[in-house]
Amino acid sequence: MTADPTSPLAAWTDRLAALAPALTVAERPFRAQLTVRVSDPSAIEAMGSALGVAFPPVPCTFTSGAGPFGAVEVLWLGPDEFLVVAPPDLQIPLEDALRAARGSARGSVVDTSAQRTTVVLEGSHVRDVLAHGCSVDLHPSSAPVGTCVQTLLARTGIILQVTGEDRFTVLVRSSFAGYLAAWLSDACVEYRT
């Protein structure tokens, strides 16, 4: 008998809930994540068609939509590198569909689901809290909704998505999730009134 997996932030649930109203924190663990490396425009278009979500054509952005795999996001990570994020347990069908759509174009599709957990941060102080440990300009004029960047937050490598006016999604390595949660708890102290 196999035990159910434990999310990286399972032990932090109560402490993260205590950050409200300064910050609302919700972990979305076990999401399917596939790193895609491809530069051929026709392969990129075919892969987007297979997902039902076009790959982002603009650097440092992401696209999202609902297709045959449910709610899917495609994040631009580099000139020929993307991250496909989907609901849990879809790694194998996603990988098969992406490989088939890529055809003979040079590239790769790799399941990186176990590498990161997803943390959603919301609240009127979210930009202020993130600014304590992130060097990216998070002002809405510089980082509008739809922005996606790889950066450091509290010296931890993350992928940061601006998913709403006061809503961010952080993809952090599972092994650093506890450290990030502790940092968030500390960074919120001045906003918890």
Side-chain angles (χ1 to χ4, degrees):
M1 179 182 211
T2 307
D4 288 333
T6 302
S7 76
L9 292 177
W12 285 88
T13 304
D14 293 339
R15 286 177 275 184
L16 292 174
L19 300 180
L23 196 63
T24 301
V25 182
E27 182 184 23
R28 300 236 163 77
F30 315 121
R31 296 184 74 199
Q33 298 180 41
L34 290 98
T35 300
V36 176
R37 300 294 303 259
V38 65
S39 59
D40 182 280
S42 60
I44 291 171
E45 185 176 346
M47 294 169 97
S49 293
L51 293 177
V53 178
F55 278 44
V58 177
C60 300
T61 63
F62 69 95
T63 54
S64 59
F69 299 99
V72 173
E73 295 176 329
V74 183
L75 291 62
W76 186 95
L77 299 183
D80 68 347
E81 183 177 7
F82 303 89
L83 182 67
V84 175
V85 182
D89 302 322
L90 292 176
Q91 296 89 320
I92 293 172
L94 274 170
E95 187 173 355
D96 291 344
L98 289 167
R99 285 179 187 272
R102 191 187 81 222
S104 62
R106 292 184 62 177
S108 64
V109 178
V110 179
D111 178 9
T112 54
S113 303
Q115 183 181 35
R116 300 178 200 90
T117 192
T118 303
V119 182
V120 178
L121 308 173
E122 290 186 86
S124 59
H125 294 293
V126 67
R127 290 178 194 268
D128 299 320
V129 170
L130 291 172
H132 283 290
C134 182
S135 63
V136 173
D137 183 355
L138 299 175
H139 188 275
S141 64
S142 297
V145 174
T147 298
C148 170
V149 294
Q150 294 185 84
T151 187
L152 295 176
L153 178 59
R155 296 183 291 216
T156 300
I158 63 163
I159 298 171
L160 182 68
Q161 294 175 259
V162 183
T163 52
E165 182 145 342
D166 292 326
R167 185 173 195 251
F168 289 75
T169 299
V170 175
L171 286 85
V172 61
R173 288 187 183 273
S174 296
S175 58
F176 283 92
Y179 168 79
L180 182 64
W183 181 86
L184 285 170
S185 295
D186 185 55
C188 284
V189 167
E190 67 185 279
Y191 305 106
R192 293 170 64 195
T193 55

PDB file of all heavy atoms in Angstrom, residues 141-172:
ATOM      1  N   SER A 141       2.659  49.024 -13.846  1.00  0.00           N
ATOM      2  CA  SER A 141       3.078  49.524 -15.160  1.00  0.00           C
ATOM      3  C   SER A 141       4.266  48.743 -15.711  1.00  0.00           C
ATOM      4  O   SER A 141       4.459  48.672 -16.924  1.00  0.00           O
ATOM      5  CB  SER A 141       3.421  51.011 -15.092  1.00  0.00           C
ATOM      6  OG  SER A 141       4.539  51.226 -14.244  1.00  0.00           O
ATOM      7  N   SER A 142       5.054  48.144 -14.833  1.00  0.00           N
ATOM      8  CA  SER A 142       6.217  47.352 -15.257  1.00  0.00           C
ATOM      9  C   SER A 142       5.926  45.862 -15.290  1.00  0.00           C
ATOM     10  O   SER A 142       6.540  45.126 -16.053  1.00  0.00           O
ATOM     11  CB  SER A 142       7.394  47.600 -14.311  1.00  0.00           C
ATOM     12  OG  SER A 142       7.799  48.941 -14.361  1.00  0.00           O
ATOM     13  N   ALA A 143       5.023  45.432 -14.419  1.00  0.00           N
ATOM     14  CA  ALA A 143       4.670  44.009 -14.324  1.00  0.00           C
ATOM     15  C   ALA A 143       3.153  43.872 -14.350  1.00  0.00           C
ATOM     16  O   ALA A 143       2.519  43.598 -13.321  1.00  0.00           O
ATOM     17  CB  ALA A 143       5.256  43.401 -13.052  1.00  0.00           C
ATOM     18  N   PRO A 144       2.555  44.060 -15.533  1.00  0.00           N
ATOM     19  CA  PRO A 144       1.096  43.938 -15.616  1.00  0.00           C
ATOM     20  C   PRO A 144       0.659  42.473 -15.544  1.00  0.00           C
ATOM     21  O   PRO A 144       1.478  41.560 -15.641  1.00  0.00           O
ATOM     22  CB  PRO A 144       0.776  44.537 -16.987  1.00  0.00           C
ATOM     23  CG  PRO A 144       2.016  44.289 -17.796  1.00  0.00           C
ATOM     24  CD  PRO A 144       3.156  44.399 -16.821  1.00  0.00           C
ATOM     25  N   VAL A 145      -0.635  42.267 -15.390  1.00  0.00           N
ATOM     26  CA  VAL A 145      -1.188  40.920 -15.411  1.00  0.00           C
ATOM     27  C   VAL A 145      -0.754  40.249 -16.712  1.00  0.00           C
ATOM     28  O   VAL A 145      -0.804  40.852 -17.780  1.00  0.00           O
ATOM     29  CB  VAL A 145      -2.728  40.958 -15.302  1.00  0.00           C
ATOM     30  CG1 VAL A 145      -3.313  39.571 -15.481  1.00  0.00           C
ATOM     31  CG2 VAL A 145      -3.152  41.551 -13.962  1.00  0.00           C
ATOM     32  N   GLY A 146      -0.286  39.014 -16.602  1.00  0.00           N
ATOM     33  CA  GLY A 146       0.219  38.283 -17.762  1.00  0.00           C
ATOM     34  C   GLY A 146       1.726  38.212 -17.800  1.00  0.00           C
ATOM     35  O   GLY A 146       2.307  37.516 -18.629  1.00  0.00           O
ATOM     36  N   THR A 147       2.389  38.913 -16.873  1.00  0.00           N
ATOM     37  CA  THR A 147       3.854  38.886 -16.792  1.00  0.00           C
ATOM     38  C   THR A 147       4.305  37.584 -16.138  1.00  0.00           C
ATOM     39  O   THR A 147       3.671  37.077 -15.221  1.00  0.00           O
ATOM     40  CB  THR A 147       4.369  40.083 -15.963  1.00  0.00           C
ATOM     41  OG1 THR A 147       3.993  41.294 -16.617  1.00  0.00           O
ATOM     42  CG2 THR A 147       5.870  40.044 -15.779  1.00  0.00           C
ATOM     43  N   CYS A 148       5.433  37.068 -16.601  1.00  0.00           N
ATOM     44  CA  CYS A 148       6.017  35.842 -16.072  1.00  0.00           C
ATOM     45  C   CYS A 148       7.532  35.980 -16.134  1.00  0.00           C
ATOM     46  O   CYS A 148       8.072  36.225 -17.215  1.00  0.00           O
ATOM     47  CB  CYS A 148       5.550  34.669 -16.921  1.00  0.00           C
ATOM     48  SG  CYS A 148       6.406  33.136 -16.578  1.00  0.00           S
ATOM     49  N   VAL A 149       8.222  35.865 -14.994  1.00  0.00           N
ATOM     50  CA  VAL A 149       9.677  36.001 -14.974  1.00  0.00           C
ATOM     51  C   VAL A 149      10.305  34.949 -14.067  1.00  0.00           C
ATOM     52  O   VAL A 149       9.702  34.521 -13.089  1.00  0.00           O
ATOM     53  CB  VAL A 149      10.136  37.405 -14.500  1.00  0.00           C
ATOM     54  CG1 VAL A 149       9.724  38.484 -15.491  1.00  0.00           C
ATOM     55  CG2 VAL A 149       9.609  37.732 -13.117  1.00  0.00           C
ATOM     56  N   GLN A 150      11.520  34.571 -14.400  1.00  0.00           N
ATOM     57  CA  GLN A 150      12.342  33.778 -13.496  1.00  0.00           C
ATOM     58  C   GLN A 150      13.194  34.772 -12.724  1.00  0.00           C
ATOM     59  O   GLN A 150      13.826  35.645 -13.325  1.00  0.00           O
ATOM     60  CB  GLN A 150      13.238  32.826 -14.279  1.00  0.00           C
ATOM     61  CG  GLN A 150      12.462  31.758 -15.024  1.00  0.00           C
ATOM     62  CD  GLN A 150      13.387  30.768 -15.688  1.00  0.00           C
ATOM     63  OE1 GLN A 150      13.828  29.823 -15.056  1.00  0.00           O
ATOM     64  NE2 GLN A 150      13.658  30.986 -16.966  1.00  0.00           N
ATOM     65  N   THR A 151      13.195  34.661 -11.413  1.00  0.00           N
ATOM     66  CA  THR A 151      13.913  35.619 -10.595  1.00  0.00           C
ATOM     67  C   THR A 151      14.264  34.981  -9.256  1.00  0.00           C
ATOM     68  O   THR A 151      14.032  33.786  -9.050  1.00  0.00           O
ATOM     69  CB  THR A 151      13.068  36.910 -10.400  1.00  0.00           C
ATOM     70  OG1 THR A 151      13.852  37.900  -9.740  1.00  0.00           O
ATOM     71  CG2 THR A 151      11.791  36.638  -9.627  1.00  0.00           C
ATOM     72  N   LEU A 152      14.793  35.788  -8.368  1.00  0.00           N
ATOM     73  CA  LEU A 152      15.057  35.351  -7.001  1.00  0.00           C
ATOM     74  C   LEU A 152      14.075  36.036  -6.071  1.00  0.00           C
ATOM     75  O   LEU A 152      13.781  37.230  -6.233  1.00  0.00           O
ATOM     76  CB  LEU A 152      16.482  35.716  -6.571  1.00  0.00           C
ATOM     77  CG  LEU A 152      17.627  35.045  -7.316  1.00  0.00           C
ATOM     78  CD1 LEU A 152      18.967  35.586  -6.820  1.00  0.00           C
ATOM     79  CD2 LEU A 152      17.573  33.537  -7.142  1.00  0.00           C
ATOM     80  N   LEU A 153      13.571  35.301  -5.118  1.00  0.00           N
ATOM     81  CA  LEU A 153      12.760  35.842  -4.032  1.00  0.00           C
ATOM     82  C   LEU A 153      13.399  35.346  -2.751  1.00  0.00           C
ATOM     83  O   LEU A 153      13.458  34.131  -2.519  1.00  0.00           O
ATOM     84  CB  LEU A 153      11.308  35.373  -4.141  1.00  0.00           C
ATOM     85  CG  LEU A 153      10.367  35.848  -3.031  1.00  0.00           C
ATOM     86  CD1 LEU A 153      10.310  37.372  -2.971  1.00  0.00           C
ATOM     87  CD2 LEU A 153       8.965  35.274  -3.227  1.00  0.00           C
ATOM     88  N   ALA A 154      13.925  36.287  -1.976  1.00  0.00           N
ATOM     89  CA  ALA A 154      14.635  35.925  -0.741  1.00  0.00           C
ATOM     90  C   ALA A 154      15.758  34.933  -1.035  1.00  0.00           C
ATOM     91  O   ALA A 154      15.918  33.934  -0.348  1.00  0.00           O
ATOM     92  CB  ALA A 154      13.668  35.374   0.296  1.00  0.00           C
ATOM     93  N   ARG A 155      16.487  35.201  -2.104  1.00  0.00           N
ATOM     94  CA  ARG A 155      17.623  34.380  -2.554  1.00  0.00           C
ATOM     95  C   ARG A 155      17.228  32.969  -2.964  1.00  0.00           C
ATOM     96  O   ARG A 155      18.047  32.049  -2.995  1.00  0.00           O
ATOM     97  CB  ARG A 155      18.720  34.355  -1.499  1.00  0.00           C
ATOM     98  CG  ARG A 155      19.326  35.704  -1.260  1.00  0.00           C
ATOM     99  CD  ARG A 155      20.442  35.623  -0.282  1.00  0.00           C
ATOM    100  NE  ARG A 155      19.914  35.303   1.031  1.00  0.00           N
ATOM    101  CZ  ARG A 155      20.378  35.774   2.155  1.00  0.00           C
ATOM    102  NH1 ARG A 155      21.407  36.584   2.141  1.00  0.00           N
ATOM    103  NH2 ARG A 155      19.858  35.434   3.288  1.00  0.00           N
ATOM    104  N   THR A 156      15.951  32.780  -3.266  1.00  0.00           N
ATOM    105  CA  THR A 156      15.442  31.490  -3.721  1.00  0.00           C
ATOM    106  C   THR A 156      14.983  31.625  -5.164  1.00  0.00           C
ATOM    107  O   THR A 156      14.203  32.528  -5.476  1.00  0.00           O
ATOM    108  CB  THR A 156      14.251  31.044  -2.841  1.00  0.00           C
ATOM    109  OG1 THR A 156      14.695  30.921  -1.492  1.00  0.00           O
ATOM    110  CG2 THR A 156      13.681  29.728  -3.305  1.00  0.00           C
ATOM    111  N   GLY A 157      15.443  30.748  -6.038  1.00  0.00           N
ATOM    112  CA  GLY A 157      15.029  30.783  -7.433  1.00  0.00           C
ATOM    113  C   GLY A 157      13.558  30.437  -7.567  1.00  0.00           C
ATOM    114  O   GLY A 157      13.101  29.422  -7.032  1.00  0.00           O
ATOM    115  N   ILE A 158      12.811  31.305  -8.256  1.00  0.00           N
ATOM    116  CA  ILE A 158      11.375  31.096  -8.448  1.00  0.00           C
ATOM    117  C   ILE A 158      10.979  31.459  -9.876  1.00  0.00           C
ATOM    118  O   ILE A 158      11.750  32.090 -10.603  1.00  0.00           O
ATOM    119  CB  ILE A 158      10.512  31.939  -7.479  1.00  0.00           C
ATOM    120  CG1 ILE A 158      10.730  33.441  -7.740  1.00  0.00           C
ATOM    121  CG2 ILE A 158      10.777  31.580  -6.033  1.00  0.00           C
ATOM    122  CD1 ILE A 158       9.660  34.328  -7.156  1.00  0.00           C
ATOM    123  N   ILE A 159       9.786  31.061 -10.233  1.00  0.00           N
ATOM    124  CA  ILE A 159       9.107  31.592 -11.407  1.00  0.00           C
ATOM    125  C   ILE A 159       7.933  32.375 -10.843  1.00  0.00           C
ATOM    126  O   ILE A 159       7.163  31.863 -10.027  1.00  0.00           O
ATOM    127  CB  ILE A 159       8.623  30.477 -12.346  1.00  0.00           C
ATOM    128  CG1 ILE A 159       9.811  29.670 -12.862  1.00  0.00           C
ATOM    129  CG2 ILE A 159       7.822  31.078 -13.505  1.00  0.00           C
ATOM    130  CD1 ILE A 159       9.417  28.424 -13.631  1.00  0.00           C
ATOM    131  N   LEU A 160       7.824  33.635 -11.243  1.00  0.00           N
ATOM    132  CA  LEU A 160       6.805  34.531 -10.715  1.00  0.00           C
ATOM    133  C   LEU A 160       5.846  34.923 -11.826  1.00  0.00           C
ATOM    134  O   LEU A 160       6.265  35.402 -12.875  1.00  0.00           O
ATOM    135  CB  LEU A 160       7.477  35.782 -10.130  1.00  0.00           C
ATOM    136  CG  LEU A 160       6.572  36.821  -9.484  1.00  0.00           C
ATOM    137  CD1 LEU A 160       5.961  36.266  -8.203  1.00  0.00           C
ATOM    138  CD2 LEU A 160       7.377  38.076  -9.174  1.00  0.00           C
ATOM    139  N   GLN A 161       4.555  34.706 -11.600  1.00  0.00           N
ATOM    140  CA  GLN A 161       3.515  35.081 -12.548  1.00  0.00           C
ATOM    141  C   GLN A 161       2.621  36.141 -11.915  1.00  0.00           C
ATOM    142  O   GLN A 161       2.217  35.996 -10.760  1.00  0.00           O
ATOM    143  CB  GLN A 161       2.614  33.895 -12.888  1.00  0.00           C
ATOM    144  CG  GLN A 161       3.257  32.765 -13.621  1.00  0.00           C
ATOM    145  CD  GLN A 161       2.249  31.638 -13.762  1.00  0.00           C
ATOM    146  OE1 GLN A 161       2.314  30.683 -13.011  1.00  0.00           O
ATOM    147  NE2 GLN A 161       1.336  31.751 -14.710  1.00  0.00           N
ATOM    148  N   VAL A 162       2.314  37.176 -12.664  1.00  0.00           N
ATOM    149  CA  VAL A 162       1.333  38.159 -12.221  1.00  0.00           C
ATOM    150  C   VAL A 162      -0.011  37.689 -12.778  1.00  0.00           C
ATOM    151  O   VAL A 162      -0.247  37.760 -13.981  1.00  0.00           O
ATOM    152  CB  VAL A 162       1.674  39.574 -12.720  1.00  0.00           C
ATOM    153  CG1 VAL A 162       0.670  40.583 -12.168  1.00  0.00           C
ATOM    154  CG2 VAL A 162       3.100  39.961 -12.350  1.00  0.00           C
ATOM    155  N   THR A 163      -0.855  37.158 -11.908  1.00  0.00           N
ATOM    156  CA  THR A 163      -2.107  36.535 -12.348  1.00  0.00           C
ATOM    157  C   THR A 163      -3.337  37.380 -12.052  1.00  0.00           C
ATOM    158  O   THR A 163      -4.446  37.005 -12.417  1.00  0.00           O
ATOM    159  CB  THR A 163      -2.257  35.138 -11.710  1.00  0.00           C
ATOM    160  OG1 THR A 163      -2.080  35.249 -10.293  1.00  0.00           O
ATOM    161  CG2 THR A 163      -1.218  34.173 -12.259  1.00  0.00           C
ATOM    162  N   GLY A 164      -3.148  38.509 -11.394  1.00  0.00           N
ATOM    163  CA  GLY A 164      -4.239  39.432 -11.093  1.00  0.00           C
ATOM    164  C   GLY A 164      -3.662  40.712 -10.541  1.00  0.00           C
ATOM    165  O   GLY A 164      -2.452  40.798 -10.268  1.00  0.00           O
ATOM    166  N   GLU A 165      -4.505  41.724 -10.376  1.00  0.00           N
ATOM    167  CA  GLU A 165      -4.002  43.005  -9.881  1.00  0.00           C
ATOM    168  C   GLU A 165      -3.279  42.845  -8.545  1.00  0.00           C
ATOM    169  O   GLU A 165      -2.229  43.420  -8.322  1.00  0.00           O
ATOM    170  CB  GLU A 165      -5.141  44.007  -9.752  1.00  0.00           C
ATOM    171  CG  GLU A 165      -4.653  45.343  -9.283  1.00  0.00           C
ATOM    172  CD  GLU A 165      -5.402  46.491  -9.890  1.00  0.00           C
ATOM    173  OE1 GLU A 165      -6.070  46.311 -10.923  1.00  0.00           O
ATOM    174  OE2 GLU A 165      -5.305  47.568  -9.324  1.00  0.00           O
ATOM    175  N   ASP A 166      -3.861  42.087  -7.645  1.00  0.00           N
ATOM    176  CA  ASP A 166      -3.250  41.825  -6.339  1.00  0.00           C
ATOM    177  C   ASP A 166      -3.074  40.322  -6.130  1.00  0.00           C
ATOM    178  O   ASP A 166      -3.265  39.800  -5.030  1.00  0.00           O
ATOM    179  CB  ASP A 166      -4.121  42.402  -5.214  1.00  0.00           C
ATOM    180  CG  ASP A 166      -4.138  43.913  -5.216  1.00  0.00           C
ATOM    181  OD1 ASP A 166      -3.111  44.512  -5.557  1.00  0.00           O
ATOM    182  OD2 ASP A 166      -5.190  44.501  -4.886  1.00  0.00           O
ATOM    183  N   ARG A 167      -2.681  39.629  -7.206  1.00  0.00           N
ATOM    184  CA  ARG A 167      -2.547  38.166  -7.144  1.00  0.00           C
ATOM    185  C   ARG A 167      -1.320  37.732  -7.938  1.00  0.00           C
ATOM    186  O   ARG A 167      -1.162  38.097  -9.097  1.00  0.00           O
ATOM    187  CB  ARG A 167      -3.798  37.521  -7.725  1.00  0.00           C
ATOM    188  CG  ARG A 167      -3.837  36.029  -7.600  1.00  0.00           C
ATOM    189  CD  ARG A 167      -5.217  35.546  -8.075  1.00  0.00           C
ATOM    190  NE  ARG A 167      -5.454  34.203  -7.675  1.00  0.00           N
ATOM    191  CZ  ARG A 167      -5.478  33.175  -8.521  1.00  0.00           C
ATOM    192  NH1 ARG A 167      -5.285  33.353  -9.804  1.00  0.00           N
ATOM    193  NH2 ARG A 167      -5.706  31.964  -8.075  1.00  0.00           N
ATOM    194  N   PHE A 168      -0.471  36.947  -7.289  1.00  0.00           N
ATOM    195  CA  PHE A 168       0.735  36.419  -7.903  1.00  0.00           C
ATOM    196  C   PHE A 168       0.787  34.915  -7.695  1.00  0.00           C
ATOM    197  O   PHE A 168       0.314  34.411  -6.676  1.00  0.00           O
ATOM    198  CB  PHE A 168       1.989  37.040  -7.273  1.00  0.00           C
ATOM    199  CG  PHE A 168       2.206  38.477  -7.636  1.00  0.00           C
ATOM    200  CD1 PHE A 168       1.443  39.483  -7.075  1.00  0.00           C
ATOM    201  CD2 PHE A 168       3.186  38.831  -8.548  1.00  0.00           C
ATOM    202  CE1 PHE A 168       1.639  40.806  -7.402  1.00  0.00           C
ATOM    203  CE2 PHE A 168       3.389  40.149  -8.890  1.00  0.00           C
ATOM    204  CZ  PHE A 168       2.609  41.146  -8.313  1.00  0.00           C
ATOM    205  N   THR A 169       1.372  34.225  -8.643  1.00  0.00           N
ATOM    206  CA  THR A 169       1.630  32.802  -8.497  1.00  0.00           C
ATOM    207  C   THR A 169       3.134  32.610  -8.478  1.00  0.00           C
ATOM    208  O   THR A 169       3.837  33.147  -9.343  1.00  0.00           O
ATOM    209  CB  THR A 169       0.991  32.000  -9.646  1.00  0.00           C
ATOM    210  OG1 THR A 169      -0.427  32.200  -9.602  1.00  0.00           O
ATOM    211  CG2 THR A 169       1.288  30.522  -9.518  1.00  0.00           C
ATOM    212  N   VAL A 170       3.618  31.865  -7.497  1.00  0.00           N
ATOM    213  CA  VAL A 170       5.039  31.594  -7.341  1.00  0.00           C
ATOM    214  C   VAL A 170       5.250  30.098  -7.513  1.00  0.00           C
ATOM    215  O   VAL A 170       4.618  29.296  -6.830  1.00  0.00           O
ATOM    216  CB  VAL A 170       5.540  32.043  -5.946  1.00  0.00           C
ATOM    217  CG1 VAL A 170       6.993  31.653  -5.744  1.00  0.00           C
ATOM    218  CG2 VAL A 170       5.337  33.536  -5.751  1.00  0.00           C
ATOM    219  N   LEU A 171       6.124  29.733  -8.427  1.00  0.00           N
ATOM    220  CA  LEU A 171       6.538  28.342  -8.564  1.00  0.00           C
ATOM    221  C   LEU A 171       7.926  28.247  -7.941  1.00  0.00           C
ATOM    222  O   LEU A 171       8.863  28.905  -8.409  1.00  0.00           O
ATOM    223  CB  LEU A 171       6.567  27.912 -10.027  1.00  0.00           C
ATOM    224  CG  LEU A 171       5.187  27.687 -10.648  1.00  0.00           C
ATOM    225  CD1 LEU A 171       4.617  28.995 -11.153  1.00  0.00           C
ATOM    226  CD2 LEU A 171       5.277  26.708 -11.771  1.00  0.00           C
ATOM    227  N   VAL A 172       8.032  27.481  -6.869  1.00  0.00           N
ATOM    228  CA  VAL A 172       9.272  27.387  -6.108  1.00  0.00           C
ATOM    229  C   VAL A 172       9.677  25.914  -6.006  1.00  0.00           C
ATOM    230  O   VAL A 172       8.816  25.029  -5.933  1.00  0.00           O
ATOM    231  CB  VAL A 172       9.111  28.020  -4.704  1.00  0.00           C
ATOM    232  CG1 VAL A 172       8.035  27.315  -3.889  1.00  0.00           C
ATOM    233  CG2 VAL A 172      10.425  28.058  -3.947  1.00  0.00           C
TER     234      VAL A 172
END
